[in-house]
Amino acid sequence: MGPANYVACRECDLLHRCTSLPEGGVAHCCRCGAVLYAHRRDRTNQTIAWALTGVILFIIANTFPVLSIDVQGTSKQVTLISSVGELYAQRRPVVAGVVLFTGVIAPLTMLLGALYVLLPVRFGRPPLHLSQVLRLMQAARPWNMISIFLLAVLVSLTKLASMADVVLGTGLWAMAGLIVALAAIDATFDPEPLWARIEPVST
Amino acid sequence: MSVPPTAMHLGLVECRHCGLLSRLPRPAARRAHCARCGSVLLGRIPRSVARTWGLVIAAFLLYVPANVLPILRTTQLGQTDSNTILGGVAYFIDSGDLLLAAVIFIASIVVPVTKLLVLCYLLVSVQRRSAWRPKDRTRLFRMIELIGPWSMLDVFVVAVMVALVQAGALATIQAAPAALFFAAVVMLTMVAAMTFDTRLIWDRAESGHG
């Protein structure tokens, strides 16, 4: 049979013949242990639900304050987007760009990308540019750093709490929920059946 | 000796984006494209060792201003204080926040330096065609891939502090030049982990056996 029944390990390149797995089974490379492929239950509905939740939480996390500080009457608030704006206003555009990319663009790509590829499939029609969007999602995945931003908020909170009145805002809880949603998408999103839908073009 | 059945040895290439296994056309005069997703088919990440070294060296170089230059400037009652990353750690230790000091120290010093040193080791081991425990070296790589992003912590702390502490009776905090260099170091180390092809560990280890 052709190469379609074989798979090469992504980390050590060893060739393996594909076997049928029981549901929930995972195949590991026999040499280096990396995951080769898995038989996953169809969790499209779960992924869509998490992605929708994530979008809502994302909007909340960026419209409602994450932290508020109150010092002798003056009140200041921060959200991820407002911190980007503040860095840009202080003439640190590159740092602002990095925070924007890792805190907004990368997670949004995962959320909107999952909806873009899965919703049309749910309704029976394949989406346009499926391959490009899947590649975009794959590229954005390592750059999602919202959980690190949350840790930074906690670090700042700890330091500022001793000096002023700091209030945990709705945005903080929304951000925590968003992290859970993104992790759930990561765990349930399976691009393999989507790739399989794309017919290889013979050149 | 027996040659392990790797895709490369058999003239096959797995598309790094969609996973489709394809036969590389012979002669390999022109670039082959994946029949399913259209991306260029590459047996190994091109010039992986050279590019990763370049990124690692650049990251080492930028790490110097990232630590020497201040990362934050605090203006209080007309007086401006500049704080470097290490200065900030010392400040946290002085004020008794040992946990905070440890978190910042680990994220900003331990993680990036460890990552860079491990990458150097992996690069040298690949160049010397070392056969030493390829599975453990791959595990080492996976580990630094996982912890790498966390060194961005200090950049986000700067972002939050800068947005929160503006005017008012408290102080005014501004981002200082090291923020840029540090963010650049983190980005460079992350890209370096992407340009390093772990399959080289196994290629060279096998050929080391003859």
Side-chain angles (χ1 to χ4, degrees):
Chain A
M1 293 299 299
N5 288 351
Y6 291 81
V7 68
C9 172
R10 266 160 225 264
E11 291 188 11
C12 75
D13 205 30
L14 195 69
L15 212 59
H16 296 76
R17 193 177 345 150
C18 296
T19 57
S20 58
L21 295 172
E23 204 176 85
V26 181
H28 292 268
C29 171
C30 62
R31 184 164 68 164
C32 77
V35 172
L36 293 172
Y37 55 95
H39 183 171
R40 302 207 180 119
R41 274 196 337 258
D42 180 13
R43 289 162 145 188
T44 313
N45 287 330
Q46 286 185 36
T47 315
I48 293 176
W50 282 115
L52 286 170
T53 311
V55 171
I56 295 170
L57 289 172
F58 183 87
I59 295 172
I60 298 176
N62 280 295
T63 23
F64 289 82
V66 171
L67 283 182
S68 302
I69 190 168
D70 211 317
V71 183
Q72 295 176 359
T74 349
S75 170
K76 253 269 168 176
Q77 295 150 343
V78 71
T79 62
L80 215 159
I81 298 226
S82 81
S83 72
V84 174
E86 186 63 45
L87 284 167
Y88 189 77
Q90 290 191 5
R91 288 168 301 147
R92 305 284 170 197
V94 179
V95 186
V98 169
V99 177
L100 184 72
F101 180 58
T102 56
V104 175
I105 296 177
L108 266 184
T109 306
M110 299 307 295
L111 293 170
L112 298 176
L115 289 173
Y116 181 85
V117 303
L118 291 175
L119 279 175
V121 167
R122 235 320 137 255
F123 290 111
R125 295 177 309 143
L128 289 167
H129 308 300
L130 176 60
S131 139
Q132 284 94 318
V133 175
L134 283 174
R135 282 167 60 178
L136 204 65
M137 287 175 70
Q138 194 183 30
R141 201 163 151 254
W143 296 101
N144 167 32
M145 296 191 191
I146 293 227
S147 38
I148 304 168
F149 186 82
L150 188 64
L151 182 62
V153 167
L154 296 177
V155 166
S156 311
L157 169 70
T158 314
K159 191 58 218 165
L160 292 170
S162 57
M163 293 190 278
D165 257 329
V166 188
V167 178
L168 304 182
T170 317
L172 184 89
W173 305 110
M175 194 174 281
L178 174 60
I179 291 171
V180 172
L182 285 166
I185 292 172
D186 206 49
T188 58
F189 180 67
D190 188 10
E192 291 309 312
L194 293 168
W195 281 120
R197 285 171 156 263
I198 303 177
E199 288 299 319
V201 176
S202 48
T203 42
Chain B
M1 283 271 26
S2 61
V3 164
T6 63
M8 189 169 77
H9 277 123
L10 294 164
L12 298 169
V13 170
E14 184 175 81
C15 175
R16 69 213 142 96
H17 287 124
C18 72
L20 185 71
L21 204 62
S22 310
R23 198 166 287 285
L24 268 181
R26 287 151 154 254
R30 284 206 321 266
R31 286 205 160 171
H33 290 265
C34 174
R36 185 157 69 178
C37 74
S39 48
V40 177
L41 287 176
L42 300 160
R44 294 287 177 269
I45 298 172
R47 301 190 320 278
S48 166
V49 172
R51 282 160 75 192
T52 311
W53 266 125
L55 291 164
V56 164
I57 291 169
F60 264 123
L61 290 174
L62 290 182
Y63 198 59
V64 174
N67 275 302
V68 164
L69 293 176
I71 194 166
L72 277 183
R73 275 195 198 111
T74 312
T75 308
Q76 197 165 14
L77 304 169
Q79 190 192 355
T80 304
D81 273 321
S82 292
N83 260 317
T84 64
I85 294 176
L86 283 170
V89 173
Y91 172 69
F92 283 135
I93 294 177
D94 275 343
S95 51
D97 292 311
L98 293 180
L99 180 63
L100 272 189
V103 168
I104 299 283
F105 184 73
I106 290 172
S108 308
I109 309 287
V110 175
V111 168
V113 171
T114 304
K115 189 165 178 181
L116 287 172
L117 290 177
V118 169
L119 277 175
C120 284
Y121 163 69
L122 289 174
L123 283 166
V124 168
S125 80
V126 157
Q127 282 179 296
R128 294 179 57 176
R129 301 180 178 273
S130 160
W132 185 82
R133 297 209 214 155
K135 188 166 180 179
D136 288 327
R137 278 187 284 154
T138 312
R139 277 202 190 118
L140 200 59
F141 177 79
R142 280 185 218 143
M143 182 201 76
I144 61 163
E145 229 185 354
L146 261 177
I147 65 172
W150 291 93
S151 45
M152 196 68 95
L153 179 69
D154 225 359
V155 176
F156 287 132
V157 169
V158 168
V160 171
M161 294 292 231
V162 144
L164 270 184
V165 190
Q166 286 298 320
L170 194 59
T172 299
I173 292 186
Q174 285 178 308
L180 169 64
F181 289 107
F182 195 75
V185 168
V186 179
M187 303 279 276
L188 286 173
T189 58
M190 284 194 63
V191 178
M194 292 172 194
T195 56
F196 182 75
D197 197 332
T198 49
R199 294 173 293 192
L200 292 172
I201 297 176
W202 296 90
D203 290 342
R204 310 283 175 107
E206 294 297 332
S207 71
H209 277 127

